[in-house]
Amino acid sequence: MKKYLYLSLLPEALIASNLSPEDFGSYYATGVFRRNCDKAIFFALDPTFKSDYLPVSRFEELCSPHPDGSPHKSVYLSVYRVLEHVPMSAIGNLYVVTSDGKTLELISKPFSPDPTAHMYLYQDLAPCRPRVASILNPQEYTSRITSPDRLVNVAKIAFCDLKLGALETDPLHGELGDLPYINEHHLRDCLMQVKSKGGKNNKVVARSMQDLNYRTLKNGFYVGAGDEMLYYPMPSKEELQTKFYNWSRSAGID
């Protein structure tokens, strides 16, 4: 029976499983009896990577099928400082799962900054989970947040960027439209602060993780440290509704 190693971002955890990514995503989101209802986001990892911190040496032992031959659905190997200790070279495809268990596979591609974008809204996923307004593009944001020269930094970060609609160009008067963000006036204030001359590069909009509505995703997901970053672009709305209709419908992308 095949063995897989996953890095979950919601919550951050290292998990071994005999389930394929699609089956694991369905199980992780809904549970054995499909009575749970929770989004999941996770990376597939190279199970052969070495670590002095994470117990990957026990992967083969702990991920063996049960005595009756049934698969191990999830075996937690670690729930603390996991992303930090997984090498970038071991990170594979990303899987984004809806609350009813539909799984979308994303493949990393080279990142090129959009020269027309000057304002961003990021949702950090691991190791911390604030929502952040920024004037830094994803590569700049990654480099800054993980810089050891900063008083407050993290070793590695995973995050996604969110749509701002008209607020991207006019945070004071632009229409939020149907974007379901709470505390709209505070969001505008944060965007204005990072946009203003002499303002901060980043401003925390929310200190803790808010509900991640998949229809608010803008370009995709990112993970990196320093100048090294992997970018996982979301398919276009048209692709989602044609090639990935079941996932799109479950995610509420009309």
Side-chain angles (χ1 to χ4, degrees):
M1 189 173 291
K2 196 163 183 180
K3 302 174 183 179
Y4 301 87
L5 194 59
Y6 299 120
L7 167 54
S8 167
L9 298 178
L10 300 178
E12 183 181 358
L14 183 67
I15 303 172
S17 178
N18 295 132
L19 301 180
S20 67
E22 185 170 338
D23 290 337
F24 176 76
S26 179
Y27 161 76
Y28 202 40
T30 64
V32 175
F33 301 105
R34 301 191 67 82
R35 292 173 182 166
N36 192 28
C37 187
D38 204 0
K39 296 182 179 74
I41 301 173
F42 61 91
F43 291 104
L45 301 180
D46 177 358
T48 65
F49 85 86
K50 308 298 181 184
S51 174
D52 294 329
Y53 179 85
L54 298 169
V56 290
S57 60
R58 301 191 62 193
F59 166 67
E60 290 287 339
E61 166 200 349
L62 296 175
C63 199
S64 297
H66 291 289
D68 64 359
S70 61
H72 260 117
K73 295 180 173 64
S74 63
V75 180
Y76 282 76
L77 302 182
S78 182
V79 295
Y80 182 63
R81 297 176 66 186
V82 177
L83 177 62
E84 172 185 350
H85 289 94
V86 172
M88 293 291 292
S89 59
I91 299 176
N93 293 348
L94 178 68
Y95 297 87
V96 184
V97 188
T98 61
S99 57
D100 65 347
K102 301 296 188 298
T103 302
L104 176 68
E105 180 183 31
L106 301 181
I107 300 171
S108 66
K109 294 183 179 179
F111 172 76
S112 296
D114 180 357
T116 66
H118 304 290
M119 196 86 65
Y120 303 87
L121 183 62
Y122 296 127
Q123 177 62 63
D124 292 352
L125 300 171
C128 46
R129 297 185 180 180
R131 185 162 291 187
V132 181
S134 181
I135 59 172
L136 303 177
N137 70 43
Q139 180 64 76
E140 294 169 333
Y141 183 74
T142 298
S143 298
R144 182 171 177 80
I145 296 299
T146 62
S147 172
D149 296 331
R150 298 187 71 229
L151 178 61
V152 178
N153 66 82
V154 296
K156 195 180 279 107
I157 190 167
F159 62 99
C160 58
D161 58 348
L162 306 178
K163 296 176 182 176
L164 280 169
L167 272 65
E168 184 175 325
T169 54
D170 186 1
L172 185 59
H173 301 293
E175 291 292 332
L176 193 60
D178 64 349
L179 294 174
Y181 302 141
I182 62 174
N183 208 342
E184 172 186 336
H185 297 295
H186 176 59
L187 172 59
R188 292 180 186 274
D189 290 342
C190 292
L191 292 170
M192 288 298 297
Q193 288 184 56
V194 298
K195 181 181 180 182
S196 63
K197 186 176 181 180
K200 297 181 179 179
N201 288 329
N202 302 313
K203 179 69 176 177
V204 173
V205 177
R207 291 186 296 273
S208 58
M209 178 80 170
Q210 301 175 355
D211 179 53
L212 180 58
N213 191 320
Y214 288 148
R215 72 178 178 86
T216 66
L217 291 170
K218 184 180 180 184
N219 293 314
F221 295 82
Y222 312 83
V223 59
D227 295 330
E228 189 174 8
M229 186 184 79
L230 294 174
Y231 167 47
Y232 296 83
M234 285 290 294
S236 67
K237 182 177 179 179
E238 291 71 23
E239 287 180 295
L240 287 173
Q241 293 178 335
T242 54
K243 297 181 182 179
F244 311 104
Y245 174 75
N246 288 337
W247 187 92
S248 173
R249 180 181 174 186
S250 176
I253 299 175
D254 301 320

